[in-house]
Amino acid sequence: MYQIIDGKKISQEIKDELKEKVAGLKEQGKNVALAVIQVGNDPASSVYVNNKKKACAYIGIESLAYELPEETTEQELVELVEKLNADDKVNGILVQLPLPKHINEETIIQTISPKKDVDGFHMQSVGALCVGAKGYVSCTPLGIIELLKRSGIEIAGKHCVVIGRSNIVGKPMALLLLRENGTVTVCHSRTQDLKEITGQADILVVAIGKPKFVDETYVKEGAVVIDVGIHRNEQNKLCGDVDFDRVAPHTSAITPVPGGVGPMTIAMLMNNCVSSVE
Ligand code: NAP
């Protein structure tokens, strides 16, 4: 029988721990504040931004909302980020992606001070992760490490295979698994014999961005499978990059979609905000 890794429950535990920490910080006169910037009103982004605000309210983090019109120029956004960088009352800055096409995302990400880069996307944060120095780490992969640890799954010495090499998921995931002493293989669209490689994984992390791509023929019997993907199927129901019904019986543990990796991303964002003050 396989274990379903319950991201909803684990993320709730983390949020409750953070709530206590924030209360403790308040007693010491320290406030935690996150600036959340949204440009335009893309409906999916609005849902994410609202969820982040709700999580802040639950934990006791002050959220400062900046809802800017679609026509905002890159220069105006740079100036706002610079103003927030200089504001001692702001601990973390989050710019909701994607940005409108006329704004260069990389320019904005690199404008955020690494000290307030709670998303962990700044080059300095990524570099720190690479060399094992202190710095913010991208929330989704950080949440996956937390899921594995809190589910009692050992990473050290295990063969961990990551499908996907994006800057926000695949690459930092590989670095974090390496930091935890896993033996790591990264696969991507040019990988040959993908099944041959994934079939050797003790821990398989799938961040490929294709609904139900991974079926049981990709998975070793008894492996741990982490599904990062989020999609809506024809019935408008959420599904992942893994075909859960076909894969789960062959695993020892697996994350569902929804209720697996997704809730951990926001919990780790909150964690990064609190650690910015600690
Ligand atoms: P992405 O930037 O599109 O990257 C997808 C990766 O998969 C790329 O590295 C690509 O290789 C690789 N790939 C594509 N087709 C492949 C194939 N046939 N065989 C092997 N590798 C293949 O996606 P992402 O931003 O990393 O996100 C991945 C998924 O996670 C998406 O479904 C996204 O919605 C979801 N996501 C979820 C959360 C969460 O909080 N749960 C957070 C972020 C993302 P190349 O590099 O060669 O193109």
Side-chain angles (χ1 to χ4, degrees):
M1 192 52 198
Y2 58 90
Q3 172 192 357
I4 294 187
I5 301 175
D6 189 344
K8 222 171 153 186
K9 180 166 157 266
I10 296 173
S11 67
Q12 187 59 46
E13 283 164 17
I14 293 172
K15 284 192 275 185
D16 287 334
E17 289 163 17
L18 291 171
K19 195 174 180 174
E20 261 183 49
K21 278 192 189 170
V22 169
L25 287 168
K26 280 194 179 144
E27 277 170 21
Q28 299 167 36
K30 291 179 187 165
N31 193 38
V32 188
L34 171 69
V36 182
I37 305 172
Q38 184 182 357
V39 184
N41 45 16
D42 169 59
S45 291
S46 299
V47 171
Y48 288 130
V49 165
N50 276 335
N51 288 343
K52 286 166 188 173
K53 285 185 199 160
K54 266 192 232 161
C56 281
Y58 180 78
I59 291 165
I61 296 174
E62 184 183 355
S63 62
L64 310 161
Y66 294 86
E67 281 148 23
L68 309 181
E70 182 85 20
E71 319 72 73
T72 304
T73 65
E74 186 174 295
Q75 186 53 32
E76 284 166 339
L77 188 53
V78 165
E79 282 167 17
L80 172 61
V81 172
E82 284 172 344
K83 194 179 105 196
L84 295 168
N85 281 343
D87 187 341
D88 289 340
K89 291 193 288 300
V90 174
N91 308 104
I93 301 170
L94 183 143
V95 180
Q96 185 63 44
L97 303 178
L99 288 168
K101 289 201 169 41
H102 63 277
I103 300 178
N104 184 324
E105 287 186 356
E106 216 30 51
T107 304
I108 302 304
I109 291 169
Q110 301 313 326
T111 303
I112 297 172
S113 161
K115 289 190 184 135
K116 301 188 179 187
D117 173 37
V118 283
D119 256 339
F121 295 165
H122 193 282
M123 274 186 219
Q124 195 169 313
S125 309
V126 179
L129 173 63
C130 234
V131 297
K134 267 196 168 179
Y136 293 110
V137 178
S138 180
C139 301
T140 302
L142 190 61
I144 291 171
I145 295 291
E146 211 48 43
L147 274 183
L148 291 170
K149 286 186 173 172
R150 290 181 185 238
S151 304
I153 294 163
E154 179 80 32
I155 302 170
K158 296 290 168 60
H159 188 188
C160 307
V161 175
V162 181
I163 315 183
R165 57 173 166 180
S166 69
N167 287 339
I168 59 166
V169 185
K171 280 184 202 150
M173 186 72 253
L175 289 166
L176 282 174
L177 289 163
L178 198 57
R179 191 166 88 179
E180 298 296 330
N181 300 312
T183 301
V184 182
T185 305
V186 182
C187 302
H188 46 77
S189 65
R190 306 287 291 271
T191 297
Q192 291 180 2
D193 297 329
L194 183 62
K195 284 186 189 180
E196 165 79 19
I197 299 167
T198 60
Q200 295 170 29
D202 301 311
I203 299 175
L204 177 63
V205 180
V206 188
I208 190 171
K210 295 186 192 304
K212 296 193 178 184
F213 182 92
V214 167
D215 64 20
E216 72 281 10
T217 60
Y218 286 82
V219 179
K220 179 171 83 176
E221 207 62 34
V224 172
V225 175
I226 304 292
D227 187 354
V228 187
I230 310 180
H231 313 275
R232 285 209 179 265
N233 67 13
E234 310 80 48
Q235 293 85 41
N236 205 30
K237 276 180 72 183
L238 287 176
C239 72
D241 288 350
V242 175
D243 189 333
F244 184 91
D245 293 338
R246 288 177 64 175
V247 170
H250 298 276
T251 67
S252 57
I254 183 166
T255 57
V257 178
V261 172
M264 293 300 288
T265 301
I266 290 188
M268 297 325 284
L269 173 70
M270 299 295 115
N271 177 72
N272 282 354
C273 290
V274 174
S275 63
S276 70
V277 178
E278 285 180 323

